[in-house]
Amino acid sequence: MEKINSEMNLQLRTAYEKWMAFQIKSCTGERRKRLQKGLSFSLKKFIIHVFWPAVGSFDDWLAEYEVKDYKDGFRYLDLAKPSLVIKICIEVDDKGTHGYNADSYKFSDDRFRQNDLVIDDWKVLRFSLHSILEQPRRCQQQMMHALAKWGIESNIIEPPLSPTELAIFKFIENKTEAYSPITIAQAVGIHRNTALKYLKSLVEKGKVMPEVRTGGPIRRYRSNRL
């Protein structure tokens, strides 16, 4: 299993694996090769921190969706929801591919790519990796607003919180910094081990994000609502 999958809760991981397996089985050619290789780091981060909390279902969504460009070649969309009524494309950008680190040709080609989609009546949403990691809640809200405007319903049902979970969540809900279990335990008035148990539960429910340093253990938690 891919390392990044460890960031997914059980419900998301199960749905993600079924979704990927179905797509690989039902397509051929270059798209199949791309899917077998695995989704990009940026796209998987988007699915974990934005798409799943905002949408809650992979129904009718496709990764690495193949479309023809104006040269009769093919382009591959990060995430797409094609239909006869409305076509939605989501692109996840990192600086190296789409930003100031890209050469002039790639930068211009990326603009032509988006223009082609708009001309072909695609609704396009773009999110940067930086905003996905630093402002996941704002990304979620923007995506939910767009989908609602376009007539797409969310499958999200907010899970109920226990009194202790609610107290912990209220403590960190509107704060940008991350907190250790000890700090949270002291603020709420519970034991550190109890705080840690409920923090893990809040992560499963999508309310809290663990802050993980590369190669290190989880030491702090912060709200997933900013």
Side-chain angles (χ1 to χ4, degrees):
M1 182 177 294
E2 300 171 53
K3 184 176 180 181
I4 200 169
N5 284 16
S6 63
E7 295 183 46
M8 300 181 181
N9 62 40
L10 180 59
Q11 183 184 21
L12 169 54
R13 186 162 61 247
T14 300
Y16 175 80
E17 290 171 353
K18 288 182 179 179
W19 177 62
M20 288 296 291
F22 173 78
Q23 291 184 98
I24 291 170
K25 184 179 179 180
S26 60
C27 70
T28 59
E30 178 62 24
R31 180 171 178 246
R32 186 172 190 174
K33 291 179 183 178
R34 286 170 171 262
L35 291 170
Q36 288 175 326
K37 184 179 179 181
L39 304 187
S40 69
F41 174 85
S42 299
L43 181 52
K44 280 182 274 193
K45 285 289 187 180
F46 174 78
I47 288 171
I48 293 168
H49 299 302
V50 180
F51 178 85
W52 189 256
V55 180
S57 171
F58 291 111
D59 291 351
D60 301 322
W61 288 91
L62 299 170
E64 296 291 348
Y65 185 69
E66 191 175 77
V67 296
K68 279 192 174 183
D69 65 12
Y70 71 100
K71 298 177 182 177
D72 286 329
F74 292 99
R75 295 187 183 265
Y76 296 86
L77 311 183
D78 289 342
L79 270 180
K81 190 181 180 76
S83 75
L84 295 176
V85 179
I86 188 169
K87 300 182 292 186
I88 300 172
C89 165
I90 296 174
E91 295 282 85
V92 181
D93 304 336
D94 60 65
K95 290 185 292 187
T97 304
H98 300 277
Y100 55 75
N101 290 331
D103 63 37
S104 298
Y105 174 80
K106 289 181 179 179
F107 186 84
S108 297
D109 185 62
D110 185 58
R111 271 51 190 174
F112 283 125
R113 168 192 171 98
Q114 178 163 327
N115 291 345
D116 287 339
L117 290 170
V118 173
I119 292 168
D120 199 28
D121 295 325
W122 283 87
K123 302 290 188 182
V124 181
L125 290 176
R126 298 184 72 163
F127 298 93
S128 71
L129 179 59
H130 176 80
S131 65
I132 290 165
L133 298 178
E134 298 299 324
Q135 297 176 294
R137 182 55 177 169
R138 183 175 179 182
C139 295
Q140 293 166 21
Q141 289 172 334
Q142 190 171 68
M143 183 169 180
M144 287 188 289
H145 178 74
L147 294 180
K149 183 175 181 179
W150 297 331
I152 308 297
E153 294 183 1
S154 171
N155 291 327
I156 291 297
I157 299 176
E158 289 287 336
L161 302 183
S162 71
T164 304
E165 288 173 333
L166 184 60
I168 292 173
F169 181 63
K170 287 297 182 184
F171 171 67
I172 64 175
E173 180 179 13
N174 295 314
K175 300 181 177 68
T176 57
E177 61 265 43
Y179 294 92
S180 69
I182 292 177
T183 300
I184 293 169
Q186 292 172 344
V188 179
I190 55 178
H191 191 272
R192 176 188 177 279
N193 291 340
T194 303
L196 191 56
K197 179 181 75 173
Y198 284 111
L199 282 166
K200 290 179 179 178
S201 175
L202 286 167
V203 170
E204 288 285 322
K205 293 179 179 181
K207 296 287 189 178
V208 167
M209 291 176 59
E211 186 177 82
V212 185
R213 294 184 181 276
T214 304
I218 297 171
R219 298 189 183 278
R220 295 176 179 273
Y221 295 81
R222 62 185 175 88
S223 173
N224 191 28
R225 293 297 184 247
L226 295 176

